Structures are given as structure tokens and as C-alpha cells.
């Protein structure tokens, strides 16, 4: 008999991988809980036994997808590689996000891109404004179609089966409590109201959200059609035909504001024309973009999972780890893969890859596409992406700094250069338990020229952009000669680290290394600071520097994953 799981009352295919279903359930519950749940909370939310939850958490931690902090399980940036695989395969964020960002800058309003996800919409890009009252939706958040501006536009392409599924969902959850990204519905609306909005969107080619999500929030949306996607064509003279609008809807672009700035009517009258112009540029981008070249698929994943199983024993759920690697086989230029493609990319046996794909199809994470092909669905973004899509560099670095401080028994910090370019600002820190320790709090600013952190950051800048400021002597050992400091910065740039010996404060010695983003630009620095009596300069270079560089590498790895399609705040 086909099995049923505590997480899904639908019949599970007999070839589905039960540990994979359970692992996906854990990731979804962590996502719904905004990234953190206790093990007992996961036990209650999933209906799984505590021992099963512990084994799944240990496996996900081994993969870097979660962190274990006492009794809590926390999502970690590497889990975003699952959502990144979908976004890279989709290709739209890479092609269209710059246009959305430019429109947001031009209008000084938030702009979003969304795709349809069954009878809901899911965000794939957000360009938000920094205001006290600003848009709080995140990449990956799922909203009910009927409470949004993009929803009626996507519904113009719904099949009868999709409309039926939407009505069933509405009847089962009239207050939208299954959508954690929106508040429960206060005033119920009829199915006919959404049907009328859909018909109006079909006729107008745009749609409004006049405070449907919550009071004060308004939006106007226009579909971005893919001229290369002309499936299911009928009569191009029929306005309901996708071809009549230039192709099927690839995504929907929206301008979002609040009623203190614009009414819904004002959005339509003043901002809709500029939104339409931006969408025309997006459609031109889709029309002229070359076919993506297949990127490099991950390698050696099956070997890694085997080694992890051997090391951790029964605490490592190998079928879960191997199943998750199947999602990362997709990516840029690899939007549709055959079973053979997936097996080759992951190193898994065809039978193992096939069972994982069957499981994902059952869970709605994969759909069959084309001739014996498979493609990821937007639902992959439900696996940890929303809570981490607005993670800051400080949040990324903090657990790595704590581990570093534990290993070297000294304080560790992360800092960025201030806008003036003359100071560093501490943004994350891990202290050590010593009677005498370096006491600098987050938010502290210090002169860049006299700190190891500052010298690393200054060294990455072109010489003409380095602002050295007033080189006042802070100790008898402070470098105050501009020519000497410039030579020191060139040396730091070549060596890849800075060591400052009692130049900021007598008795304080520190060593720092850069943290680089995906482009190779130095965006921050990490250091270890100590009393000079505890380690000589030679011991700092020999014993501390390698561990510090290893830590910076881990921070950079997380930053590359988190910053691929989402913005990571540096300060």
C-alpha cells in the first residue's frame, strides 16, 4: 500500500524517498518559523519522532544548511543554494533585476518581480526603499493570488483545473492562514470578485491592489511577457490569447507604495505609464538575450555524502543528503534536465536520481518538462529562502567569528569602512572569556589608518581613493608619515593581511584579513585582537593568521551564496 506521511495527506508514490520528504518538511517548517525552531518545536510542527528530527537536523548541519545552537535549529546561508538553483535556471532575475532596480530608483518606490506558483504568487526579486514604513516582503514569500495585483494577471492564463484548485483552497482556508507572509484576511471576499478582477486585468493588461493585503498597502502591476514562449496559441486577434500580448507571462512587475504617498488611483494615473515603459525594456531584454550557456554542474556530491555517512554513522541520513543534491544539479543553462543529466551531474545512480525526482514531483518542487525532462518549480524557494533573503553580512559572520574566538581564545571582529573612508565601524564581534580582553562594542568607530581592519580595507582601494585623514600619533608606535603608511598599505595588498603592533593602543596587537564579495571586491575585514604579551608577532602570523584566513573564507563562501540573487546589507 502507498504510504502517507504526517506532513502530507496526499498518497505518496511507492518509489518516493521518505527521508527526503521528512527533510523537506523540516526545512519548510523552519522557513515558516522565520528561520529558527527548537528541536521540540520541529517535532510538534512536523509530527515526526524526536529521534528522526535530530538525525535530520544533524544531516542538514553537516551540509551547512542549518546551524545547531543548543536546542535550537537555525537556517544557514548555504541552504540558499537550493533556491539559487531555481532562480539561476529561471534566468529572469539575472536579466531583469537591473531594470527593476533602476525603476525603483527613478520612482523612489519599491518594485518587485513575481512569478505564478499554482494559485499564488511568489517573489523572485525585490528592490525596496529604506523608509520607516517600507515593503516587508522577501524573495521567496508566497501570497494568495486574489489578494495581490499580480494575481489577476496570472489568473488570465489559468486552466479550469487551476481555477477549481483555487476555489477548493479558498473554501478550506478562507482567512489565508496557510500564507505566513500576509496577515489573516479580515474581510472575506467572494470568488466572483476575483473572477471580475481577472476579466478586468485581461482587458486592461494591468491590475491594481487597493489595500487587499493590508490597510495602507497599494500596488500596480504589469505582466512581463516572454516573446519566445508562444505555447497554447489560439487566435492572435483574441485578447485572451497569450500571443496577442507578445507571449505568455514570464513574470509580473509591480510598483508598491502606501496610501500616505499614493492612492491606488494615483498609482494608475501617474506611475503606470513609467512601469509600462520599464516592462517594455524588460521584454526587449528577454527577446534579445542569447540562449544561456550551460553552467558547470556541481561535482563529487555523491562521494561527499558517502564520506559523511562513514564519519557520522547513523546520525547522517544519506538518502536525504543525496536527494537534496539533485536540486543543485539545475542552474544557469540547466533549466531542463533529463534523468541522465541529473545522474551525471550528481554522480548518483540513475535509480537513486529517479526516486528523488519522483519525490520532488510529488512535493511540487519539480515538474515534468518537455521530452523526458524535468524542471524546478518556484516552490523550491520555500526551502529556507525567505528568512535569509535579507540577511546581513554581520549575521553571516557572527557564528564564524564565535568559532574563531573559541579556537584561538582571543576576541574576533568584523568591520567595514565608513562612508567617509577614514574610519572603520565594527559590525559584528565575538568576545573571549579572559580576565583581560579587548573590549570593543559593535558600532564602535576607530581611525582606519591605525587599525589592522582599516589597513586591509584601505589597501583594496585605488591609491587615489584612499583617505588617510589626520595621522595623529595614538601611541609612540603609530605610523604618522603618509609615505610610510602608503608603502605599508601596498605591502598589505600584496601579502593579503595586515598586522598592527601597538599603534592604536599600547599593548594591543591585531591581525586582519579581507572579506571579498562575489566580484572579488573587499567589502569588510575580520581580525583577531589580543594583548601583546600573549603572542609575539611571529606567533600571530604562524598560529593565528591561518585560522583567521580560513574563517574569512567561510564567511566569503556564505556571502557568495546569500548574495547571488539577494541583497546582503554590509553594515
Amino acid at each position: 500500500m502507498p504510504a502517507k506521511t504526517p506532513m502530507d495527506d496526499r498518497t505518496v508514490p511507492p518509489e518516493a524517498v521518505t527521508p527526503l520528504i521528512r527533510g523537506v518538511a523540516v526545512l519548510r517548517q523552519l522557513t515558516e518559523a522565520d528561520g529558527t525552531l527548537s528541536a521540540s518545536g520541529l517535532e510538534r510542527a512536523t509530527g515526526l519522532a524526536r529521534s528522526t528530527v535530530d538525525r535530520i537536523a544533524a544531516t542538514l548541519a553537516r551540509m551547512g544548511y542549518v546551524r545547531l545552537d543548543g536546542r535550537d535549529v537555525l537556517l544557514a546561508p548555504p541552504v540558499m543554494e537550493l533556491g539559487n538553483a531555481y532562480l539561476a535556471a529561471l534566468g529572469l532575475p539575472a536579466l531583469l533585476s537591473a531594470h527593476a532596480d533602476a525603476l525603483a530608483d527613478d520612482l523612489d518606490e519599491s518594485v518587485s518581480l513575481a512569478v505564478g506558483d499554482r494559485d499564488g504568487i511568489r517573489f523572485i526579486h525585490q528592490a525596496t526603499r529604506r523608509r520607516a514604513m517600507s515593503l516587508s516582503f522577501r524573495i521567496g514569500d508566497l501570497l494568495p493570488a486574489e489578494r495581490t495585483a499580480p494575481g489577476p494577471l496570472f489568473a488570465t492564463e489559468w486552466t479550469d483545473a487551476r481555477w477549481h484548485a483555487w476555489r477548493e483552497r479558498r473554501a478550506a482556508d478562507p482567512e489565508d492562514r496557510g500564507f505566513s507572509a500576509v496577515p489573516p484576511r479580515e474581510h472575506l471576499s467572494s470568488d466572483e470578485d476575483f473572477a471580475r478582477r481577472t476579466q478586468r486585468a485581461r482587458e486592461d493588461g494591468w491590475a491594481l491592489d487597493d489595500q487587499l493585503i493590508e490597510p495602507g498597502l497599494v500596488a500596480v502591476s504589469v505582466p512581463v511577457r516572454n516573446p519566445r514562449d508562444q505555447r497554447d496559441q489560439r487566435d492572435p486577434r483574441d485578447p485572451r490569447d497569450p500571443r496577442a500580448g507578445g507571449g505568455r507571462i514570464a513574470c509580473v512587475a509591480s510598483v508598491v507604495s502606501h496610501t500616505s504617498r499614493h492612492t491606488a488611483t494615483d498609482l494608475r494615473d501617474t506611475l503606470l505609464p513609467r512601469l509600462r515603459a520599464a516592462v517594455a525594456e524588460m521584454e526587449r531584454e528577454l527577446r534579445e538575450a542569447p540562449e544561456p550557456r550551460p553552467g558547470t554542474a556541481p561535482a563529487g556530491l555523491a562521494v561527499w555524502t558517502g564520506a559523511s555517512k562513514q564519519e557520522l554513522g547513523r546520525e547522517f541520513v544519506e538518502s536525504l543528503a543525496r536527494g537534496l543534491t539533485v536540486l543543485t544539479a539545475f542552474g544557469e543553462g540547466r533549466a531542463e534536465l533529463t534523468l541522465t543529466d541529473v545522474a551525471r551531474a550528481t554522480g548518483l545512480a540513475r535509480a537513486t536520481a529517479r526516486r528523488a525526482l519522483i519525490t520532488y514531483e510529488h512535493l511540487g518542487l519539480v515538474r515534468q518538462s518537455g521530452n523526458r525532462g524535468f524542471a524546478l518549480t518556484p516552490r523550491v524557494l520555500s526551502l529556507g529562502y525567505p528568512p535569509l533573503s535579507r540577511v546581513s553580512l554581520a549575521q553571516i559572520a557572527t557564528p564564524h567569528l564565535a568559532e574563531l574566538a573559541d579556537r584561538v581564545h582571543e576576541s574576533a571582529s568584523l568591520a567595514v569602512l565608513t562612508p567617509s573612508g577614514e574610519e572603520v565601524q565594527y559590525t559584528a564581534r565575538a568576545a573571549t572569556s579572559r580576565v583581560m580582553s579587548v573590549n570593543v562594542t559593535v558600532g564602535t568607530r576607530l581611525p582606519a589608518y591605525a587599525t589592522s581592519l582599516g589597513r586591509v580595507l584601505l589597501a583594496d582601494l585605488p591609491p587615489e581613493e584612499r583617505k588617510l585623514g589626520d595621522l595623529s600619533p595614538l601611541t609612540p608606535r603609530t605610523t604618522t608619515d603618509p609615505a610610510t603608511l602608503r608603502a605599508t598599505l601596498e605591502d598589505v595588498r600584496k601579502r593579503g593581511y595586515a598586522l598592527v603592533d601597538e599603534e592604536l593602543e599600547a599593548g594591543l596587537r591585531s591581525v586582519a584579513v579581507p572579506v571579498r564579495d562575489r566580484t572579488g571586491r573587499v567589502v569588510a575585514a575580520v581580525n583577531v585582537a589580543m594583548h601583546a604579551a600573549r603572542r609575539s608577532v611571529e606567533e600571530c602570523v604562524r598560529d593565528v593568521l591561518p585560522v583567521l584566513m580560513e574563517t574569512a573564507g567561510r564567511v566569503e563562501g556564505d556571502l557568495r551564496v546569500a548574495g547571488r540573487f539577494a541583497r546582503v546589507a554590509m553594515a
Side-chain angles (χ1 to χ4, degrees):
M1 289 287 292
K4 290 187 178 182
T5 72
M7 296 74 67
D8 195 337
D9 60 2
R10 294 175 298 161
T11 300
V12 178
E15 293 180 282
V17 183
T18 299
L20 186 54
I21 295 175
R22 292 170 174 169
V24 166
V26 166
L27 287 175
R28 281 182 173 160
Q29 290 300 328
L30 285 170
T31 304
E32 292 293 312
D34 211 28
T36 305
L37 264 181
S38 65
S40 58
L42 282 169
E43 181 183 1
R44 290 191 297 271
T46 61
L48 298 170
R50 176 60 181 271
S51 59
T52 301
V53 169
D54 289 343
R55 292 182 65 215
I56 290 172
T59 302
L60 295 174
R62 177 70 171 185
M63 300 183 77
Y65 289 175
V66 304
R67 286 192 300 110
L68 306 180
D69 185 4
R71 298 178 180 179
D72 291 335
V73 183
L74 297 83
L75 291 172
V79 76
M80 295 178 75
E81 69 182 10
L82 303 177
N84 284 346
Y86 164 73
L87 293 173
L90 182 67
L92 296 179
L95 289 173
L96 307 183
S97 60
H99 295 284
D101 295 346
L103 180 63
D105 290 339
D106 179 40
L107 302 180
D108 193 26
E109 297 289 354
S110 295
V111 174
S112 65
L113 300 177
V115 294
D117 188 354
R118 299 191 177 188
D119 61 359
I121 71 154
R122 202 177 290 271
F123 294 108
I124 59 170
H125 182 72
Q126 291 283 4
T128 58
R129 303 292 87 189
R130 286 194 173 187
R131 296 196 183 99
M133 187 179 295
S134 60
L135 185 70
S136 63
F137 295 126
R138 306 160 301 184
I139 296 174
D141 273 337
L142 178 68
L143 277 63
E146 67 275 9
R147 290 178 65 182
T148 68
L153 294 165
F154 286 116
T156 62
E157 296 183 348
W158 282 2
T159 63
D160 290 342
R162 177 57 56 218
W163 278 101
H164 178 71
W166 172 76
R167 291 188 174 91
E168 285 191 330
R169 187 262 295 166
R170 290 258 297 170
D173 182 18
E175 296 181 340
D176 297 332
R177 295 189 179 276
F179 295 85
S180 60
V182 295
R185 187 191 303 270
E186 295 182 1
H187 305 289
L188 302 185
S189 61
S190 67
D191 291 358
E192 289 71 24
D193 178 66
F194 183 59
R196 285 193 294 270
R197 290 179 59 218
T198 300
Q199 179 59 34
R200 179 73 177 270
R202 178 180 289 113
E203 295 168 355
D204 294 342
W206 52 269
L208 283 176
D209 165 9
D210 190 357
Q211 306 181 75
L212 294 170
I213 293 176
E214 65 179 25
L217 184 67
V218 291
V220 60
S221 298
V222 172
V224 181
R225 297 185 180 275
N226 186 350
R228 296 181 178 180
D229 188 353
Q230 300 284 346
R231 293 172 293 167
D232 302 326
Q233 292 182 5
R234 294 184 295 275
D235 183 354
R237 295 167 296 180
D238 183 347
R240 294 171 298 178
D241 191 307
R243 186 173 59 183
R248 293 181 63 86
I249 298 175
C251 66
V252 169
S254 304
V255 176
V256 186
S257 188
H258 50 82
T259 51
S260 61
R261 293 176 59 84
H262 294 281
T263 64
T265 302
D266 187 32
L267 281 181
R268 179 197 65 197
D269 294 342
T270 63
L271 301 189
L272 177 58
R274 292 153 82 179
L275 174 58
R276 278 178 154 165
V279 165
E281 286 299 304
M282 293 181 189
E283 292 178 339
R284 180 189 59 78
E285 191 81 53
L286 293 178
R287 183 169 56 253
E288 297 177 359
E291 289 293 332
R293 299 179 61 181
T296 303
L301 297 173
V303 175
W304 177 87
T305 58
S308 297
K309 178 66 174 178
Q310 187 173 4
E311 181 177 339
L312 297 184
R314 69 178 305 276
E315 293 303 308
F316 186 78
V317 186
E318 189 173 14
S319 57
L320 167 59
R322 290 191 168 195
L324 288 174
T325 67
V326 166
L327 297 179
T328 63
F330 296 84
E332 184 177 0
R334 303 193 308 277
E336 297 184 5
L337 298 177
T338 64
L339 173 59
T340 300
D341 294 331
V342 172
R344 185 183 299 115
T346 58
L348 298 174
R350 280 175 56 90
T352 303
R354 178 175 175 273
R355 292 189 64 200
L357 289 168
I358 289 173
T359 305
Y360 286 136
E361 192 172 7
H362 164 69
L363 295 173
L365 299 168
V366 164
R367 61 179 174 82
Q368 293 199 35
S369 174
N371 184 23
R372 299 184 301 166
F374 297 88
L376 301 181
T377 73
R379 204 172 187 184
V380 174
L381 293 172
S382 70
L383 305 182
Y385 214 90
L388 295 168
S389 66
R390 289 188 180 173
V391 69
S392 68
L393 180 56
Q395 291 170 313
I396 290 173
T398 295
H400 298 297
L401 294 178
E403 183 180 345
L404 172 62
D406 286 343
R407 290 178 66 181
V408 300
H409 307 292
E410 303 288 358
S411 298
S413 303
L414 175 92
V416 297
L417 207 59
T418 61
S420 72
E422 296 181 4
E423 293 179 307
V424 295
Q425 180 173 354
Y426 286 73
T427 58
R429 182 161 170 76
T432 186
S433 55
R434 284 185 181 271
V435 174
M436 183 173 60
S437 61
V438 179
N439 185 22
V440 179
T441 59
V442 171
T444 297
R445 294 188 177 196
L446 294 174
Y449 71 90
T451 63
S452 60
L453 292 161
R455 289 184 183 178
V456 163
L457 293 165
L458 289 172
D460 184 63
L461 298 175
E464 64 275 10
E465 295 182 16
R466 295 170 184 164
K467 297 179 181 179
L468 304 183
D470 179 20
L471 303 184
S472 303
L474 305 176
T475 76
R477 306 185 67 167
T478 306
T479 299
T480 58
D481 177 59
T484 302
L485 182 57
R486 291 189 185 97
T488 299
L489 293 177
E490 285 304 311
D491 188 45
V492 168
R493 186 179 62 81
K494 293 174 183 176
R495 290 187 306 178
Y497 72 92
L499 194 148
V500 171
D501 189 15
E502 300 188 77
E503 295 190 48
L504 177 68
E505 183 178 317
L508 180 63
R509 181 174 291 147
S510 68
V511 58
V513 298
V515 173
R516 301 178 183 275
D517 64 10
R518 292 180 59 86
T519 68
R521 182 174 63 96
V522 175
V523 294
V526 291
N527 84 338
V528 170
M530 70 208 77
H531 192 278
R534 288 206 286 265
R535 282 186 173 92
S536 67
V537 169
E538 292 75 16
E539 287 171 329
C540 282
V541 174
R542 183 192 68 203
D543 301 332
V544 176
L545 181 59
V547 185
L548 179 60
M549 296 182 77
E550 181 184 330
T551 299
R554 288 200 296 270
V555 173
E556 288 175 343
D558 284 359
L559 178 59
R560 281 193 294 271
V561 175
R564 186 172 182 187
F565 294 106
R567 286 187 176 87
V568 177
M570 295 295 123

